[in-house]
Amino acid sequence: MTSEPNLLAVIQRQLNELNKSEAKVALAILNAPEEATRSSIASLAASAGVSEPSVNRFCKRFGATGFPDFKLQLATSLASGVRYVSRAVEFSDDINTFPTKLFDNAINALMTAKEELPLKAIARAVDQIAQARRVYFFGLGTSAAVARDAEHKFFRFNVPVFTHEDPLMQRMLAASAGVGDLFFFISHTGRTKVLVEAAEIARQTEATIVSLTAEGSPLADKSHCCINVKVEEDTEQYLPMTSRLVQLVILDVLAAGVTLRRGEGFTPHLARIKDSLKDTRFQTS
Amino acid sequence: MTSEPNLLAVIQRQLNELNKSEAKVALAILNAPEEATRSSIASLAASAGVSEPSVNRFCKRFGATGFPDFKLQLATSLASGVRYVSRAVEFSDDINTFPTKLFDNAINALMTAKEELPLKAIARAVDQIAQARRVYFFGLGTSAAVARDAEHKFFRFNVPVFTHEDPLMQRMLAASAGVGDLFFFISHTGRTKVLVEAAEIARQTEATIVSLTAEGSPLADKSHCCINVKVEEDTEQYLPMTSRLVQLVILDVLAAGVTLRRGEGFTPHLARIKDSLKDTRFQTS
DNA sequence: CTCATTATGTAGTAAATTTACAAATATTCA
DNA sequence: TGAATATTTGTAAATTTACTACATAATGAG
């Protein structure tokens, strides 16, 4: 059953080709679609001013097996039609509205990213990380926090992992790199000069350069492998950067990829790391 | 009727609190949600191995007026994009499946959190942050990265902001606190000993203590204001912590709240901060 | 105007859902 | 432990809902 992307539009379009009573049904539904999904065939027939079988015939005409099936398709269509949209926070907002907006924006960013995941690049990055002898995560500003998060995740793979927020350290480490070193650059814009310069320096060595950044940016150009994160329009000035959430999840994906690559025999190692924290916590009462 | 954004997640979460037969129904639905939306109460009852009224009671327990209404909500929920509940990554997964799973888990976590936002606590925390003379963000491990992110966000409010990952620094700073100081503790479990101890030390001063952590945890107990983040079941061992994403967005919410509190006259200040970065970037070609 | 065709409604039937109640199971407290 | 009580679950009947077959009404062509 391939349900229509937008059933209401289809109904609207065929309006003139319908019989009198079918048209009445159509109008009743178009007027109050949500209500239609909740009503019985009898009440819909009443509100359209026709008989019940007319409603039933109407449903079959639009590809449904019957009235319940039609309602289902309608509900599905309505739900998927109401897409999340970036909604800016305004000064007229209050505690009941702006938290929801921010969550919606975050969810929206992840949903969008999920649909356009650059799987090839991800697979390649997993390969390269799995083979690396040493991994550096470099970011600045907000991306430094993302890099820190990555460090907390990737050290589990028995590969030395480093993070530095200091651009000078980043430059010097880049300059002294060699075969087996992997530099993972994280940047929202991909245009931050000092970071791009560090990438350039690293590029002149034998090291591998992977970046998580905007497509076509200077940083992307310097990389052996670039995982593109779509940059949202910067229209709303004071919205928090949802891109960093996407970056975090993509790093989760990379870590999961490396774990799978290591194979099932690797799980005891992970379990040991987890267990090592037990004594640092108060036990559940 | 406010239909659930993600009904499956709600069902999943309440699994342990259900009766035997209700749990059977829940599992049947979680196993084949799409099918459930198309089947009659009789066939669903049969495939769950329970009686029809049990299915009906199950539906009512989840806020539906009856079985048809439940199916409708389920269909709506499925259509809205995120189809699956906490799905563990397995060693049989490949590049086409596990990235989607991880994104779904992340989206799911945010949607769930959005539904149960502790607005009162958030409003209070905004008040307290807005009034603070100095703010410390303390976290350890993954939460240290979250604290770092918070630092990058809150310094904009003209209030000195500090982060420290070092437990000893955290203790000493806590001990030397006074009126106007605000300690913001971030912890997934709320049970990490050294962090709870730091909170306890801070509590003995005149400082305000806000925490972003699990409800009822030792850390929550030490706080003047606790923003609860539901802790997901730790069933799947090697799933990444989605709670940190929720924490980040909640910190975004707090920052937005403080911005709104500062009022419209504050925007030039924010704009100046933003502009200050311009020269650090390569211009768009 | 009549016949053929299509459209619509009526009434009966089958199916699905819900309710009321009784049996079975679990829980509490002596 | 065992009786008393509460909770859970299923049975069966009632009710609601949807569908089918058929009859009537409307429309259009010749």
Side-chain angles (χ1 to χ4, degrees):
Chain A
M1 186 192 71
T2 51
S3 68
E4 273 304 330
N6 196 347
L7 188 51
L8 286 180
V10 175
I11 294 173
Q12 173 89 285
R13 189 145 24 89
Q14 298 208 2
L15 205 53
N16 357 3
E17 294 156 32
L18 296 174
N19 300 330
K20 253 183 266 172
S21 41
E22 284 176 347
K24 284 188 203 167
V25 177
L27 287 174
I29 291 170
L30 290 171
N31 271 331
E34 283 89 358
E35 202 187 315
T37 62
R38 277 178 266 119
S39 46
S40 70
I41 195 169
S43 63
L44 180 57
S47 80
V50 299
S51 69
E52 296 180 21
S54 288
V55 175
N56 190 272
R57 281 187 284 261
F58 172 90
C59 297
K60 287 182 175 167
R61 175 183 270 266
F62 283 95
T65 68
F67 182 68
D69 183 46
F70 178 84
K71 281 200 295 190
L72 206 73
Q73 289 190 27
L74 183 59
T76 305
S77 164
L78 289 175
S80 61
V82 183
R83 303 237 76 193
Y84 282 94
V85 199
S86 250
R87 296 186 302 157
V89 174
E90 283 147 31
F91 280 97
S92 53
D93 277 314
D94 67 12
I95 183 74
N96 295 303
T97 60
F98 77 85
T100 311
K101 281 187 177 182
L102 292 174
F103 267 85
D104 281 350
N105 286 341
I107 292 165
N108 184 48
L110 291 181
M111 285 173 68
T112 308
K114 174 186 146 189
E115 278 161 36
E116 338 184 301
L117 279 182
L119 293 181
K120 303 176 316 309
I122 288 173
R124 242 183 104 198
V126 168
D127 276 355
Q128 292 173 324
I129 295 170
Q131 288 166 20
R133 215 164 40 95
R134 208 159 29 189
V135 181
Y136 298 91
F137 287 99
F138 286 172
L140 293 171
T142 303
S143 301
V146 177
R148 187 68 66 188
D149 187 87
E151 184 188 19
H152 278 293
K153 200 179 306 304
F154 282 86
F155 79 90
R156 293 158 208 258
F157 300 120
N158 268 339
V159 173
V161 180
F162 307 93
T163 323
H164 285 279
E165 305 191 21
D166 180 343
L168 301 185
M169 280 302 295
Q170 293 177 354
R171 283 176 93 98
M172 292 188 289
L173 286 165
S176 61
V179 177
D181 286 345
L182 188 148
F183 289 87
F184 197 116
F185 290 95
I186 301 165
S187 169
H188 171 62
T189 61
R191 327 193 79 86
T192 307
K193 286 178 187 169
V194 290
L195 202 71
V196 175
E197 285 163 11
E200 197 156 9
I201 292 168
R203 189 63 198 250
Q204 284 155 22
T205 71
E206 299 290 310
T208 306
I209 298 165
V210 179
S211 63
L212 182 52
T213 191
E215 186 165 19
S217 63
L219 178 56
D221 292 345
K222 305 276 179 284
S223 314
H224 294 106
C225 170
C226 174
I227 302 172
N228 296 311
V229 178
K230 284 281 182 308
V231 181
E232 65 258 35
E233 293 302 321
D234 193 28
T235 45
E236 285 311 321
Q237 294 208 51
Y238 310 112
L239 276 180
M241 286 213 298
T242 51
S243 64
R244 76 198 200 289
L245 301 172
V246 175
Q247 291 169 352
L248 286 167
V249 180
I250 287 182
L251 283 162
D252 285 343
V253 169
L254 294 177
V258 177
T259 306
L260 294 182
R261 176 65 61 93
R262 287 278 195 266
E264 210 143 356
F266 193 61
T267 46
H269 174 75
L270 295 175
R272 268 198 305 281
I273 294 176
K274 195 169 192 180
D275 283 350
S276 76
L277 291 177
K278 221 163 54 188
D279 291 340
T280 69
R281 301 213 177 100
F282 290 116
Q283 287 317 300
T284 315
S285 47
Chain B
M1 186 194 72
T2 51
S3 73
E4 279 300 340
N6 196 342
L7 187 50
L8 285 181
V10 176
I11 295 172
Q12 165 98 333
R13 190 148 26 86
Q14 299 207 2
L15 249 185
N16 347 2
E17 292 154 35
L18 295 175
N19 299 329
K20 251 182 270 171
S21 39
E22 285 175 344
K24 284 189 205 167
V25 177
L27 287 174
I29 291 170
L30 290 172
N31 270 332
E34 283 89 356
E35 203 187 313
T37 61
R38 277 177 264 119
S39 47
S40 71
I41 195 170
S43 63
L44 181 58
S47 80
V50 301
S51 69
E52 297 179 19
S54 288
V55 175
N56 191 269
R57 282 187 285 259
F58 173 90
C59 297
K60 287 182 172 165
R61 174 184 263 266
F62 284 94
T65 68
F67 183 69
D69 183 47
F70 177 85
K71 279 199 295 189
L72 205 75
Q73 289 189 28
L74 183 60
T76 304
S77 162
L78 289 176
S80 67
V82 183
R83 344 211 77 200
Y84 301 106
V85 204
S86 250
R87 295 186 305 158
V89 174
E90 284 147 30
F91 280 96
S92 53
D93 276 314
D94 67 13
I95 185 72
N96 295 303
T97 60
F98 78 84
T100 311
K101 280 187 176 180
L102 291 175
F103 266 85
D104 280 350
N105 285 341
I107 293 166
N108 188 47
L110 291 180
M111 288 175 75
T112 307
K114 175 185 146 188
E115 282 162 41
E116 334 183 305
L117 278 182
L119 293 180
K120 303 176 317 312
I122 288 173
R124 242 183 106 199
V126 168
D127 277 355
Q128 292 172 325
I129 294 170
Q131 288 165 22
R133 216 163 39 96
R134 208 156 31 186
V135 181
Y136 297 91
F137 288 99
F138 286 172
L140 293 171
T142 303
S143 301
V146 177
R148 186 69 65 188
D149 187 88
E151 184 189 21
H152 279 292
K153 200 179 306 305
F154 282 88
F155 79 91
R156 293 157 209 260
F157 300 120
N158 269 339
V159 173
V161 180
F162 307 93
T163 322
H164 284 280
E165 304 192 22
D166 179 344
L168 300 184
M169 280 302 295
Q170 293 177 352
R171 283 178 93 98
M172 292 188 289
L173 287 164
S176 61
V179 176
D181 286 344
L182 188 147
F183 289 87
F184 198 115
F185 289 96
I186 301 165
S187 169
H188 172 61
T189 61
R191 325 193 81 85
T192 306
K193 287 177 185 168
V194 290
L195 202 71
V196 174
E197 285 163 13
E200 195 156 12
I201 292 168
R203 188 63 196 249
Q204 283 155 23
T205 70
E206 299 290 309
T208 305
I209 296 163
V210 180
S211 63
L212 180 53
T213 190
E215 184 164 20
S217 63
L219 178 56
D221 292 345
K222 303 278 179 284
S223 315
H224 294 107
C225 169
C226 175
I227 302 172
N228 297 312
V229 179
K230 284 279 182 310
V231 180
E232 66 258 36
E233 292 301 321
D234 193 27
T235 45
E236 286 310 322
Q237 292 208 53
Y238 310 113
L239 275 179
M241 285 212 299
T242 51
S243 64
R244 78 198 199 288
L245 301 173
V246 175
Q247 290 169 353
L248 287 167
V249 179
I250 287 182
L251 284 163
D252 285 344
V253 169
L254 294 175
V258 176
T259 305
L260 294 181
R261 174 66 60 92
R262 287 278 195 267
E264 211 143 356
F266 192 62
T267 47
H269 174 77
L270 295 176
R272 268 198 305 283
I273 293 175
K274 196 169 192 180
D275 284 350
S276 75
L277 292 179
K278 220 162 53 187
D279 291 340
T280 68
R281 300 212 177 99
F282 290 115
Q283 288 316 300
T284 314
S285 46

